[in-house]
Amino acid sequence: MSSLWEKDLNRVSRPKIEKDREVETLIIGGGITGLTTLYFLRKQKNTILVDASLCGSGVTLNTTGKLTYLQNTIYTDLTNNIDYETAISYLKSQKHAIQLAKEIIEKEHINCHLEQVDSFVFTNKKKEIKKLKSEKKFLESQNIKVNWQEKKDFCSISVSDTFVFHPIKYTNALKELLKNQIYEQTKIVKIKKHHGKYVCYGKNFKIVAKKVIVACHYPFFFYPFCLPLKSHIEKSYIIAKKTDKNPKVSGITVSNPALSFRFYEDKKNCYQICLARSHKTSKEQNDGKNFQIVKEKYQIKDSDIAFVWSNVDIITGDKLPFIGEIKKNFLIATGFNTWGMTNGILAGEILSKIILKEDVPFQNLFTLKRSNFYQIKSFFGNMLGSVVSFIGSKKHQKAWYHENPIFLKIKGKSVGIYTDEHKKKHFVYTTCPHMGCSLIFNEQEKTWDCPCHSSKFSIDGKCLKGPSTKDIQYKE
Ligand SMILES: Cc1cc2nc3c(=O)[nH]c(=O)nc-3n(C[C@H](O)[C@H](O)[C@H](O)COP(=O)(O)OP(=O)(O)OC[C@H]3O[C@@H](n4cnc5c(N)ncnc54)[C@H](O)[C@@H]3O)c2cc1C
């Protein structure tokens, strides 16, 4: 299982940090957010970025790569849940982000297949037509030309000034451009404040930084900020199928569980990227069944399947990202609600302007200090959700496992054993080191996944994705 973009990932690793260092600004995480932040801070002296793995190999590697402001019916939701001004401000922020992306791509001559396409939001449910009408009315009130289509069982709105791109060709180009400031295979596991500076610890080194930017998708620390109480994680399933032509459109349904698609064309092939079956990671965990649903929804023949993968993102209570200062000189960008191409690029600008003490656009919209009814309401939901996921994760014998894996207790600790095709047994501890949830076995990707906060481990227990910073290797 790998994403369509994975074959293009720049696997030439930048050096590791192995000795103690002192810097002005440290960016943790080299996905679209961290790299774009470094791009805007590139002229600031003594600024570096570290990535636990390879830049671009996190959630950005598995995105569908739409650069659009038409995001389900977000403006109707924001108007209803918060207010009209917030919806207007969010629309402006997304249009601004698209403009930023275009400027960077043009200025740096990045060949990342940026392509203007018509974006659609559609439904075949009668009760959702009212919401589509309201989204159209909102967009038109902001002078956006919206097309309306209504047939028997189908209704859609569309706009034409939106884009798709190859996200990894974008991150590769920034990695190359900024290579002297980037360190890979360098994981930060702990941060402590000492004499007004931040001491960021890795396995055998520490980096002392005046300013720290956390751009690692899900932060590896609970305090400060307590993200698990402010968000939940959503997983979706994607198949890229071979197709004959690129109709230059992209689409998404009004509401979840979403269907979402776009097309991608390189010199050799054309693909339709088909996404379906979005759900909270604590539920519907039978991946085999979920991929089957994607095949059925898009009527995909086995012979047309080119790439198969899944992805997770962080969903906030009010559908707005968190971008800003947690405390003085300690910044974060997270909670992109599956719209991290625009919001990751925008976060790069916002965070760099905070560091450079320049005028910050959209600061109030994304502030970490905001509180609104939907955030407060979801706080209790997320707290309950965390407890339910934690308890739910303890139910080991899931019905969908066939022969693999086996769960047992050894010396009071929960252990999982996966037997590979050569009959080799791979032992791991199945308690997530992050917050103690029980891991589930992902039969499609052959990984151990945390259903609560999306950490991922190899069959031999190596941590592949945070927030966990520790491995789960079994020791006799
Ligand atoms: C199914 C799906 C489809 C999506 N499609 C779209 C789309 O079409 N358009 C759109 O706008 N958005 C989309 N998104 C959302 C978007 O992909 C994400 O929001 C975005 O990629 C997040 O980028 P990031 O840089 O914050 O995180 P990442 O790409 O995960 O980058 C974080 C980096 O931090 C590193 N890291 C982690 N922990 C540490 C540590 N302790 N020390 C050092 N480094 C660390 C990781 O190795 C990683 O490289 C989609 C999301 C999903 C789930």
Side-chain angles (χ1 to χ4, degrees):
M1 289 229 321
S2 68
S3 90
L4 171 57
W5 322 119
E6 197 163 333
K7 62 183 170 45
D8 296 316
L9 180 70
N10 177 352
R11 293 184 180 277
V12 181
S13 190
R14 298 297 308 144
K16 290 179 189 177
I17 289 196
E18 285 170 311
K19 284 191 200 146
D20 294 353
R21 287 199 56 163
E22 184 139 6
V23 297
E24 177 72 20
T25 306
L26 173 68
I27 301 168
I28 304 172
I32 194 160
T33 309
L35 285 167
T36 310
T37 309
L38 181 62
Y39 175 78
F40 285 117
L41 287 175
R42 66 194 180 284
K43 294 201 180 115
Q44 207 214 21
K45 76 173 187 352
N46 219 355
T47 296
I48 62 165
L49 178 152
V50 295
D51 195 285
S53 175
L54 291 170
C55 287
S57 66
V59 176
T60 303
L61 186 64
N62 298 317
T63 175
T64 44
K66 297 179 189 172
L67 264 175
T68 176
Y69 60 86
L70 199 67
Q71 305 173 356
N72 310 88
T73 47
I74 181 80
Y75 306 107
T76 304
D77 292 341
L78 290 176
T79 305
N80 292 344
N81 296 350
I82 308 177
D83 54 36
Y84 187 58
E85 280 66 38
T86 303
I88 293 177
S89 188
Y90 186 71
L91 172 65
K92 284 186 179 156
S93 77
Q94 300 308 289
K95 293 198 98 179
H96 177 68
I98 294 171
Q99 191 52 33
L100 275 181
K102 281 168 65 183
E103 280 168 18
I104 297 171
I105 291 166
E106 200 176 312
K107 183 162 181 236
E108 305 304 338
H109 307 289
I110 301 175
N111 178 12
C112 58
H113 302 250
L114 183 71
E115 184 178 40
Q116 186 162 352
V117 295
D118 289 348
S119 285
F120 287 77
V121 181
F122 60 93
T123 185
N124 56 8
K125 296 179 189 145
K126 272 222 161 74
K127 61 176 189 236
E128 288 180 343
I129 293 179
K130 202 170 148 207
K131 224 174 167 192
L132 267 186
K133 280 189 177 153
S134 141
E135 197 72 353
K136 177 174 183 282
K137 195 169 160 203
F138 174 87
L139 291 166
E140 284 175 342
S141 76
Q142 299 307 304
N143 300 321
I144 293 172
K145 187 173 178 308
V146 185
N147 293 311
W148 175 264
Q149 266 189 53
E150 198 169 350
K151 290 180 194 154
K152 216 169 87 211
D153 288 330
F154 176 87
C155 190
S156 72
I157 56 170
S158 65
V159 297
S160 58
D161 51 346
T162 53
F163 296 81
V164 290
F165 74 145
H166 186 316
I168 292 306
K169 290 202 174 170
Y170 172 84
T171 54
N172 283 347
L174 292 191
K175 173 172 157 179
E176 180 57 27
L177 184 72
L178 308 165
K179 63 181 173 212
N180 296 333
Q181 290 162 282
I182 294 176
Y183 298 85
E184 292 182 315
Q185 311 296 347
T186 300
K187 187 187 279 187
I188 302 299
V189 299
K190 193 169 69 179
I191 303 177
K192 277 193 169 175
K193 200 162 182 196
H194 189 66
H195 294 312
K197 293 184 180 172
Y198 293 95
V199 187
C200 305
Y201 293 89
K203 211 172 168 194
N204 304 310
F205 64 87
K206 60 179 188 293
I207 305 170
V208 179
K210 272 195 197 153
K211 297 160 196 160
V212 172
I213 295 173
V214 179
C216 62
H217 192 247
Y218 206 107
F220 49 90
F221 47 84
F222 183 74
Y223 295 112
F225 194 52
C226 315
L227 185 65
L229 302 180
K230 296 174 178 159
S231 63
H232 69 267
I233 311 248
E234 204 171 270
K235 182 169 179 179
S236 305
Y237 301 81
I238 305 166
I239 296 179
K241 71 164 183 169
K242 285 194 198 124
T243 180
D244 295 335
K245 69 170 200 291
N246 176 359
K248 297 190 190 293
V249 294
S250 75
I252 194 160
T253 42
V254 168
S255 56
N256 269 347
L259 295 183
S260 166
F261 66 85
R262 61 162 282 194
F263 292 81
Y264 172 73
E265 194 179 2
D266 59 22
K267 279 183 193 144
K268 287 191 199 143
N269 295 303
C270 184
Y271 304 94
Q272 182 180 1
I273 302 174
C274 310
L275 176 152
R277 200 70 202 110
S278 307
H279 64 81
K280 281 189 180 182
T281 42
S282 54
K283 295 180 178 164
E284 317 285 346
Q285 293 154 348
N286 185 345
D287 282 8
K289 191 170 155 200
N290 290 324
F291 279 115
Q292 189 55 37
I293 292 172
V294 185
K295 275 168 64 179
E296 283 163 18
K297 291 273 180 202
Y298 291 88
Q299 299 176 352
I300 302 174
K301 286 194 241 136
D302 284 343
S303 54
D304 289 337
I305 295 177
F307 298 90
V308 175
W309 72 99
S310 66
N311 200 14
V312 291
D313 209 7
I314 300 162
I315 310 297
T316 63
D318 58 6
K319 301 267 172 70
L320 292 170
F322 293 114
I323 308 171
E325 261 184 321
I326 301 179
K327 51 188 182 182
K328 196 162 185 272
N329 293 333
F330 191 57
L331 288 71
I332 194 167
T334 189
F336 293 146
N337 299 291
T338 77
W339 297 107
M341 298 297 103
T342 42
N343 286 306
I345 287 173
L346 184 62
E349 190 194 42
I350 293 177
L351 297 177
S352 63
K353 283 189 183 283
I354 296 175
I355 295 279
L356 298 170
K357 299 198 181 342
E358 293 175 1
D359 282 348
V360 182
F362 309 106
Q363 196 167 17
N364 292 339
L365 183 64
F366 300 120
T367 174
L368 276 49
K369 297 190 179 93
R370 68 184 185 264
S371 67
N372 52 52
F373 171 71
Y374 278 84
Q375 266 208 311
I376 295 162
K377 187 177 152 211
S378 72
F379 176 85
F380 293 106
N382 290 324
M383 200 149 76
L384 189 68
S386 294
V387 175
V388 170
S389 317
F390 180 81
I391 297 169
S393 75
K394 300 286 162 195
K395 289 188 215 150
H396 277 137
Q397 297 301 337
K398 310 283 181 188
W400 63 86
Y401 295 135
H402 303 297
E403 292 152 38
N404 266 316
I406 297 169
F407 293 94
L408 66 164
K409 290 259 181 203
I410 300 181
K411 293 184 188 157
K413 291 194 171 168
S414 301
V415 172
I417 309 169
Y418 166 70
T419 310
D420 68 21
E421 64 273 27
H422 307 295
K423 304 272 179 264
K424 184 173 175 218
K425 292 191 184 310
H426 302 260
F427 288 64
V428 295
Y429 291 117
T430 55
T431 302
C432 183
H434 174 232
M435 288 182 78
C437 291
S438 285
L439 303 173
I440 51 173
F441 188 67
N442 179 336
E443 286 188 310
Q444 309 297 314
E445 292 171 85
K446 306 279 184 272
T447 51
W448 290 93
D449 296 355
C450 172
C452 307
H453 310 109
S454 78
S455 294
K456 211 176 203 26
F457 304 85
S458 73
I459 48 170
D460 289 315
K462 193 171 174 329
C463 179
L464 303 172
K465 183 192 173 296
S468 171
T469 53
K470 294 189 183 135
D471 297 334
I472 50 162
Q473 270 133 4
Y474 174 77
K475 294 183 192 82
E476 282 194 50

